Amino acid sequence: MANHHLSESLPERTFQYQHTLPSLPVPTLQGSLSKYLDAVRPFASDEEYKATVDIVRRFQDGVGKELHQKLLQRARTKRNWLEEWWLDAAYLEVRIPSQLNVNFGGPAPYLEHCWPPAEGVYLQRASISTWHALQYWNMIRTESLAPQKAGTTPLDMDQFRMLFCTCKVPGVKKDTIHNYFKTESEGPCPSHLVVMCRGRMFTFDALYNGEILTPPELLRQLRYVRERCEAEPDGDGMGALTSEERTCWAKAREHLINIDPHNQVILETIQSSLFVISLDETKPYSSPQNYTKMTAEALIGDPAIRWGDKSYNSIVYSDGSFGSTCDHAPYDAMVLVSLCWYIDQQLQATGGQWKGSEALRPTPLPEELIFTVDEKSVSKITLKHTHTHTELDAAVLLQTAQKVCTHQTGSCYETAMTRKFYHGRTETMRPCTQESVWWCKAMMDPTQDTHTRREAMRLAFKKHNQLMVEAQEGRGFDRHFLGLYLIAKEEGRPTPELFMDPLYAKSGGGGNFVLSSSLVGYTTVLGAVSPMVHHGYGFFYRIRDESIMISMTAWKSCHETDAASLFNQFSSSMHEMLQLPHTCLIS
């Protein structure tokens, strides 16, 4: 009996629910097709809609039924029928440069309290934030990080294994993810860090005699790197190659390994490192009301001091502010949000100060990682340097208000989390419903009274919430459609008519969403990703009790889009909503 009470009082372990999580379900074919018809209706004329209804009917009675049965067969043998497919289609087979197009990044919120921008403190602050990040790594390694839950339902924690010691490696046709992380019970785990500064790379172990280095010890290592880089010429900037088109980077990487086998050892050192610390000499002064410069630097800053394929690059700006850029393939942004929120809370609790020992143990100094290069590889890096990331426009601003309305004029994607299921990641929730269109029309029609607008808003909210719940329960349709499409492709069948229908792409299918949005959460942490399509926007937001912080991105080369203009339109919509009585928001 005593043992029973003891087991009840033990803290939950990070990965303890992994073996009991339910498998990812396959939605019914009829349910997915019905949802699809609802989703395309706002984009179609009556004639177009009728044509799509006919296409859907033919698909349901014909090839769709066969493909669906094969998908059900696949799901019987896998706990997550989507996992490998999603990784390949969304990330690993993509050939465009991933650092700009796929990575997510953003500003750290520490400037809102104990660490406002300041001169001469960035290394000291970096040593403290790094120490907290190492504590988080240790919590995952010892499985003492509490498993996350939705209410009382455990969520899949597998993605937390990918936060540290993880790197994407380019391939000529398809990339791979190399994950070196191990929990304490699984065995030894790499414990070294990589520091990038002025085109050079250094590494040192974050442990000494099995214990994490203290902030004063970390500071000594970072100072050593900075002093070396200030006293000596800049390096080759090998990191810039990671921002190249994927096949080009894969070939350049193979060439490096062929020049000298030691280059392979260096690449392994970078890939297996806990994470990368980027010492960035820019000063993107930002404020709690405007994070635009910090976010832009995180997304499009100097590629020579980022390793774009690492799952976590911690960027330290010389004005004492922080950011990050992360490869999106191994995990979704909520994992990084959890880490940054943890660091933010620890900094607030300690006033951003280290109150422990100042003693320095005799840790080995950082070792420089020097690639053997030839004229071909140097010219490749130089060429990449001259094509720096200037294509992306960002606006990250505070809007004080209570609720949100957008005038939707194009296809819209919102992230739904499917972590209730084994290795679940995301599903698409499509906010551009008939109900939201009716609401926006009511808001823009001067002849409509407050009651009509209020009722239209209530119905739009109700529909949005219903679709979000269904998507989180594995009953969305976009991932289901991807599975059906990929089975047809794997079997060498012609692409089904459903996916060739103009309404499929016009409504966002096949990754063609004009507005790509995500709620980053209710913490102090925010980030951004580039738009899905050239004429599109990225739109990410965090909600606090008194404010909403919005992060928007658009491509500068597109003259139809402008991030700052979208922010102004969004703000105007929110103020219009505030004119409606608040009673309508309670439902």
Side-chain angles (χ1 to χ4, degrees), residues 99-163:
Q99 192 170 335
L100 180 63
N101 295 281
V102 181
N103 282 29
F104 57 83
Y110 320 139
L111 60 77
E112 294 188 14
H113 43 87
C114 55
W115 284 356
E119 295 293 329
V121 294
Y122 75 110
L123 292 185
Q124 185 188 9
R125 289 178 177 181
S127 70
I128 294 171
S129 71
T130 300
W131 185 81
H132 287 299
L134 292 170
Q135 301 304 311
Y136 200 77
W137 162 67
N138 193 53
M139 286 161 66
I140 300 173
R141 184 156 153 66
T142 57
E143 299 180 67
S144 57
L145 179 69
Q148 295 181 344
K149 297 183 178 183
T152 57
T153 305
L155 299 177
D156 185 276
M157 294 294 287
D158 186 66
Q159 292 180 52
F160 282 78
R161 301 178 64 94
M162 305 288 175
L163 179 56

Side-chain angles (χ1 to χ4, degrees), residues 166-198:
T166 303
C167 196
K168 187 166 66 185
V169 174
V172 173
K173 290 187 176 173
K174 176 180 147 183
D175 298 346
T176 51
I177 293 173
H178 289 216
N179 175 244
Y180 306 80
F181 174 83
K182 284 190 172 137
T183 63
E184 222 169 43
S185 61
E186 290 168 344
C189 176
S191 56
H192 61 283
L193 292 161
V194 167
V195 184
M196 299 179 75
C197 178
R198 294 194 181 183

Side-chain angles (χ1 to χ4, degrees), residues 12-71:
E12 293 176 307
R13 297 176 69 75
T14 310
F15 304 110
Q16 78 175 60
Y17 297 109
Q18 290 302 109
H19 65 289
T20 58
L21 290 167
S23 299
L24 184 71
V26 178
T28 65
L29 183 60
Q30 185 178 350
S32 287
L33 292 171
S34 173
K35 277 193 174 74
Y36 172 64
L37 286 174
D38 274 353
V40 302
R41 191 67 189 92
F43 303 92
S45 65
D46 290 345
E47 280 182 23
E48 288 170 328
Y49 184 67
K50 186 176 180 303
T52 296
V53 169
D54 289 342
I55 289 170
V56 164
R57 193 177 292 122
R58 286 195 291 274
F59 183 79
Q60 185 171 357
D61 296 339
V63 67
K65 190 186 288 184
E66 293 174 46
L67 297 173
H68 182 69
Q69 287 306 314
K70 293 193 171 174
L71 183 57

